[in-house]
Amino acid sequence: MEQREDLKSIISYLPVVLRSSTLFWPSAVVEAFKALSKGPQHSNVDSGQLLFLAISDIRNSLSDHTPLASSAADGFSLFFDDLISRAEANKWFGEILPALADVLLRFPSLLEAHYNSSDSVNCLGSRDGLKTSLRLLKSQEPGIVLLSQELIGALLACSFFCLFPNSSRGANDLQVINFDHLFSSLYDNYNEKQENKIKCIIHYFERISSSMPAGNVSFERKVLAVDQTLDYIPSPEAEAWSKSVVSLCQFEVCSSGLIEDHSTEALEVDFANKYFGGGALSRGCVQEEIRFMINPELIAGMLFLPCMADNEAIEVVGAERFSKYTGYASSFRFCGDFLDKKDTDIMGRRKTRIIAIDALVNPGKRQFLHEFLVREANKAFCGFSDPCKSQSYQKLFKDDHLLEVQLDQGYKCVDGNSDNVLVL
Ligand SMILES: *[C@@H]1O[C@H](CO)[C@@H](O)[C@H](O)[C@H]1NC(C)=O
């Protein structure tokens, strides 16, 4: 029953219709996907231009009619009709697009299965019975959403087809989730980095359409309790930090290499925008956005994770990497397939743990004021903390002074897990 409430709470952000507790696409949409799934001979969609017309038709059968970015049509046409080779275009329209249409046909049943599956997960540390169904993870409410990689594939196919309703996202601190701006930016201000961002996404669709990955990815909003009566990890004040004699956990410093290439199990920092994903779906192409292009499943979190507050962080476990790349910002280039060989955990998540912690924006000298030092320390603490150990942290920071006796009892590192190496 509770899962059904979760579904209702997010249904206005999803493109499917919920009626008499059944999820479905409007029939005109089903017909359009069926035609697309049979390939260009049936759908006539064999160019970027015709693809955008098909997308517009499908959108007309849905309830949200907020206009797409004005150059999106030109962007689709530029990418699929001019920038990629004819051979690549043939493969895209002949094989990949039909496979995506198939995934989209399955989307309502994938969602049903998601909400019907047992919602209590016992393997997330000690947090028995934690709910994990797809819902908005609102600000100041800690929570976790566990999605199969297949459901994420369907969500990202919805983004590609620009099907998500857009009207209430901004007012609820949610970024745009459709790909119209990704394509319109390609046309409005053509540059190779934008072309290569799209190549990463297209490559992801190519991979999942030839072999759908079978694992899971979790997205968690972590919150430090500002109010001491709350039952989760407290947000320490300046005094607690300055008096703290708790040792840091062990860490290693690596002076070369890229975060995503690190083979040790580590927390991998996303130097995030307070809006998870930053400019990934518009023009951005630096650390966070690049990560979202090579591990596109991260994008799914942008659907349901509103803006982070100072006392919040986001942790994603299991996002698979699909692309190799070179360069950074304007020199960013997709350079082929990447096979992610990371192990998986008992929940089927790749052991890639990414934490998004947004730093202050251009703070200048303000960053050295107490208030801002504490803000940054707590932001990092939130990202690196383990919500399973909230009781231990509560003891650590209790009543503004540390109970030093407890230090000898195993609270030697704030992370609680000395195996974690921090890679910056
Ligand atoms: C993914 O999570 C679901 C729900 O908890 C679980 O039933 C399934 O076994 C997991 N998949 C894998 C590959 O472990």
Side-chain angles (χ1 to χ4, degrees):
M1 261 352 263
E2 217 182 325
Q3 290 98 301
R4 288 281 141 185
E5 289 310 307
D6 289 338
L7 169 58
K8 279 186 198 151
S9 77
I10 200 173
I11 192 70
S12 64
Y13 298 90
L14 297 176
V16 283
V17 183
L18 174 66
R19 204 169 298 143
S20 334
S21 74
T22 308
L23 286 165
F24 53 91
W25 289 115
S27 55
V29 175
V30 172
E31 292 315 311
F33 288 152
K34 277 189 182 158
L36 283 169
S37 74
K38 290 181 191 144
Q41 300 87 335
H42 282 85
S43 64
N44 287 327
V45 174
D46 62 0
S47 71
Q49 201 178 5
L50 293 173
L51 170 58
F52 191 80
L53 285 178
I55 289 175
S56 302
D57 275 351
I58 295 170
R59 283 175 49 83
N60 284 337
S61 308
L62 297 172
S63 60
D64 181 83
H65 296 121
T66 30
L68 295 178
S70 58
S71 308
D74 297 313
F76 274 85
S77 171
L78 176 60
F79 185 84
F80 291 106
D81 304 336
D82 293 333
L83 296 176
I84 60 175
S85 70
R86 203 54 229 168
E88 285 170 315
N90 286 341
K91 177 156 194 205
W92 172 260
F93 291 104
E95 295 170 32
I96 304 169
L97 197 62
L100 291 187
D102 257 330
V103 174
L104 284 166
L105 283 168
R106 290 205 306 281
F107 179 52
S109 57
L110 288 171
L111 270 178
E112 293 276 0
H114 168 79
Y115 286 103
N116 290 336
S117 75
S118 155
D119 208 0
S120 69
V121 172
N122 297 319
C123 352
L124 289 166
S126 56
R127 295 174 289 168
D128 287 356
L130 201 67
K131 72 173 178 174
T132 56
S133 52
L134 178 61
R135 62 202 187 280
L136 281 196
L137 290 179
K138 291 186 191 141
S139 190
Q140 304 308 325
E141 294 176 16
I144 191 161
V145 163
L146 181 75
L147 302 175
S148 68
Q149 287 182 286
E150 184 175 23
L151 179 53
I152 292 177
L155 291 168
L156 296 190
C158 290
S159 285
F160 177 82
F161 278 83
C162 303
L163 304 179
F164 286 108
N166 219 2
S167 48
S168 56
R169 296 186 62 80
N172 290 293
D173 286 327
L174 288 159
Q175 294 217 82
V176 164
I177 182 70
N178 290 325
F179 290 174
D180 53 327
H181 288 271
L182 194 65
F183 282 93
S184 74
S185 309
L186 177 72
Y187 180 83
D188 286 339
N189 178 17
Y190 171 77
N191 55 69
E192 283 185 68
K193 74 168 182 353
Q194 196 71 8
E195 176 183 346
N196 282 274
K197 282 171 64 183
I198 297 177
K199 281 188 169 159
C200 289
I201 305 242
I202 295 308
H203 176 67
Y204 161 76
F205 285 135
E206 178 178 350
R207 280 277 305 276
I208 65 163
S209 64
S210 69
S211 164
M212 185 57 84
N216 290 318
V217 182
S218 66
F219 299 81
E220 177 167 15
R221 179 180 289 273
K222 297 162 94 172
V223 184
L224 296 182
V226 187
D227 175 347
Q228 302 300 329
T229 63
L230 292 170
D231 181 30
Y232 36 94
I233 302 172
S235 185
E237 309 275 348
E239 199 180 329
W241 279 124
S242 63
K243 285 184 180 163
S244 174
V245 290
V246 185
S247 313
L248 289 177
C249 60
Q250 291 180 14
F251 62 90
E252 262 174 47
V253 176
C254 308
S255 55
S256 64
L258 299 173
I259 294 175
E260 60 274 8
D261 292 337
H262 225 268
S263 55
T264 340
E265 257 175 60
L267 290 175
E268 303 178 16
V269 174
D270 165 5
F271 297 99
N273 191 295
K274 65 180 177 177
Y275 286 94
F276 185 62
L281 298 184
S282 52
R283 294 162 196 267
C285 195
V286 290
Q287 198 257 343
E288 177 168 45
E289 290 93 358
I290 291 174
R291 197 70 206 261
F292 276 59
M293 295 303 116
I294 63 174
N295 297 54
E297 292 162 337
L298 291 167
I299 296 169
M302 296 168 75
L303 172 66
F304 55 86
L305 282 159
C307 184
M308 280 182 272
D310 286 347
N311 63 327
E312 298 181 320
I314 289 166
E315 178 168 331
V316 182
V317 184
E320 182 172 346
R321 178 170 171 191
F322 291 89
S323 294
K324 286 194 198 125
Y325 75 99
T326 57
Y328 193 80
S330 61
S331 65
F332 174 76
R333 302 289 180 270
F334 163 74
C335 65
D337 187 41
F338 181 90
L339 273 185
D340 193 331
K341 303 217 174 78
K342 278 266 173 74
D343 282 347
T344 51
D345 66 11
I346 42 167
M347 297 170 63
R349 300 177 300 178
R350 278 207 158 56
K351 290 182 177 174
T352 301
R353 295 170 66 192
I354 297 177
I355 53 167
I357 46 176
D358 57 300
L360 291 165
V361 180
N362 296 327
K365 285 192 180 138
R366 279 189 310 144
Q367 67 187 299
F368 302 112
L369 296 175
H370 265 170
E371 179 191 349
F372 295 111
L373 287 172
V374 171
R375 188 271 182 202
E376 302 292 66
N378 284 354
K379 176 66 76 168
F381 176 49
C382 184
F384 294 120
S385 63
D386 180 347
C388 294
K389 302 196 170 74
S390 103
Q391 291 191 340
S392 322
Y393 298 111
Q394 268 161 10
K395 281 183 207 141
L396 273 181
F397 290 107
K398 207 170 184 177
D399 303 329
D400 284 345
H401 49 254
L402 291 162
L403 306 176
E404 293 195 31
V405 278
Q406 293 183 336
L407 295 180
D408 297 327
Q409 298 173 0
Y411 302 116
K412 290 220 169 62
C413 76
V414 271
D415 192 277
N417 181 354
S418 52
D419 294 338
N420 283 328
V421 184
L422 158 64
V423 188
L424 289 173

